[in-house]
Amino acid sequence: MPYSSNYTFLARVRKGDNECLAIHKPTKGERPLWDFPPGSLAGRERAAFLISEASGWHIVPPTVVRSEGPMGPGSLQLFIDHDPEVHYFTVMHDRLEDLAVFAAFDVVANNADRKSGHVLEDAHGKLWGVDHGLTFHLEDKLRTVIWAFADEPLTGSVHVGLERLGEALTGPDRDLGAELAHDLAPDEVAATLTRVEILLVEDRFPAPRSDRPLPWPLI
C-alpha cells in the first residue's frame, strides 16, 4: 500500500473456497518510535478492534494478530473497499451523529494519529476507522482531526458505549481486560479504564489540551 509510514500490504486471505482482502502490517516493518515500545503496534491495532466491539460501536474492521505469514508476525485487518476521495473532511457535515462515536473512541484509545483519511465509508455508507497503531499510550497523546464535538455533551450512543466498556473492564468476568492484556501492558489497560470513567463523569467531550492537537498530515 503506497504512502504508508510502515510496511503495509494488501493481502488475500483464503479458507477453502472462501476468500477476502485484508491489510497486513508486519511487525518487522514498523519504524522505530521514541514514545512507543518497538514491536507493539500490531497488538494496539487488535486492542482498538476489541474496544470497538465491546462498546457496541463496531467501527474498527475485524483485526487479529497473526504469528506467522510471508513477512512474519503482524496485524491482519479486513480490507474495507472504499473511495479514497471520501474521508472525514468530506462527510463531517452530513454524518456528525455517526462521527460522535469516533470522537469518543479516539479519547478512550488515546489515538495519536486520527487523520481524516483514517475514516472510510464503505459501499453501504457505513463509516469505519482504521490505522490504530499509535494508541493506548499512558501519556495524553490525543491528536485527531475530529474536534467538532469539543466541550459538547456526550450523545446517547456514546454514553451507552462507554457504560458497556466500563462494565466489560470492571464486571465480574472482566473478559475485555483479559483480552487487552494480550496486546497492552497492565498499566495501559488500567489507563484505558480511567479514560472511560473520566468521560462518563464529565459527560462531555474534551477540548484540545496540548499545543499539538492535530496529526500531520491532516489527510
Side-chain angles (χ1 to χ4, degrees):
M1 302 297 288
Y3 314 117
S4 300
S5 299
N6 301 312
Y7 286 6
T8 305
F9 299 95
L10 183 63
R12 192 177 302 277
V13 181
R14 292 190 180 97
K15 182 178 182 181
D17 295 330
N18 299 315
E19 65 176 42
C20 67
L21 294 177
I23 295 296
H24 176 48
K25 297 181 179 180
T27 297
K28 72 178 182 180
E30 296 178 7
R31 289 192 309 170
L33 299 168
W34 68 269
D35 52 350
F36 283 85
S40 71
L41 303 193
R44 295 173 194 278
E45 294 271 9
R46 177 178 179 266
F49 169 66
L50 295 176
I51 291 292
S52 168
E53 292 300 288
S55 63
W57 295 329
H58 306 301
I59 59 173
V60 178
T63 308
V64 297
V65 173
R66 287 286 178 87
S67 59
E68 297 179 356
M71 298 293 292
S75 65
L76 195 67
Q77 182 175 87
L78 180 68
F79 174 73
I80 302 299
D81 193 11
H82 65 285
D83 180 351
E85 298 300 317
V86 178
H87 47 83
Y88 172 74
F89 289 144
T90 67
V91 304
M92 58 181 292
H93 296 296
D94 299 323
R95 305 293 297 273
L96 273 180
E97 184 175 348
D98 296 326
L99 290 165
V101 298
F102 283 74
F105 170 89
D106 286 345
V107 174
V108 170
N110 197 15
N111 192 352
D113 195 34
R114 174 65 75 198
K115 297 180 175 69
S116 182
H118 295 170
V119 177
L120 314 179
E121 183 180 62
D122 68 18
H124 304 288
K126 177 176 172 55
L127 298 179
W128 298 90
V130 299
D131 209 344
H132 298 116
L134 301 185
T135 48
F136 300 103
H137 201 283
L138 289 178
E139 300 175 11
D140 183 8
K141 295 281 185 179
L142 184 60
R143 290 192 291 272
T144 174
V145 295
I146 309 178
W147 289 111
F149 306 94
D151 277 333
E152 293 291 323
L154 300 182
T155 64
S157 56
V158 165
H159 207 281
V160 169
L162 291 172
E163 289 181 337
R164 287 175 175 167
L165 282 175
E167 176 63 25
L169 287 166
T170 62
D173 298 328
R174 299 189 179 184
D175 292 340
L176 178 58
E179 284 294 312
L180 290 174
H182 293 292
D183 305 301
L184 305 175
D187 51 359
E188 292 174 329
V189 177
T192 301
L193 173 60
T194 298
R195 291 190 291 270
V196 171
E197 293 174 336
I198 290 174
L199 267 178
L200 284 170
V201 169
E202 295 183 348
D203 199 26
R204 63 179 55 251
F205 292 95
R209 292 190 290 263
S210 73
D211 58 356
R212 293 186 60 202
L214 297 172
W216 189 260
L218 296 178
I219 297 178

